[in-house]
Amino acid sequence: MSATTIGALIGGAIDSMSGDDGAADGAIKGAIVANVLKVALPLVVTYAVGWAVLRGAGELKAVVFGGDDVKEKRA
């Protein structure tokens, strides 16, 4: 199943729990959220991994070329 279909099913199920009207508007909102997350989540994960690598490279450089810089950054 695609993310859009799963999002629509989850959104519809959540919306039908309220007992108001049908579950169609919840299904539409769930499908939209699923499509937004398909784009946003990989960007966020890529940014976080890149940030962690750059931070680790900076720490490694500080350890190799000057041990005092590491203590100053953490203080």
Side-chain angles (χ1 to χ4, degrees):
M1 292 184 118
S2 73
T4 305
T5 306
I6 293 172
L9 291 173
I10 292 172
I14 291 171
D15 191 42
S16 67
M17 282 194 260
S18 66
D20 293 340
D21 52 357
D25 55 340
I28 293 169
K29 290 176 187 173
I32 291 170
V33 168
N35 282 326
V36 168
L37 287 177
K38 276 196 304 190
V39 174
L41 198 60
L43 291 173
V44 169
V45 170
T46 302
Y47 179 82
V49 169
W51 178 81
V53 168
L54 286 175
R55 181 150 172 102
E59 291 285 327
L60 181 63
K61 178 185 166 196
V63 167
V64 170
F65 294 116
D68 294 334
D69 293 340
V70 174
K71 293 177 184 174
E72 291 175 8
K73 284 184 179 180
R74 292 184 183 161

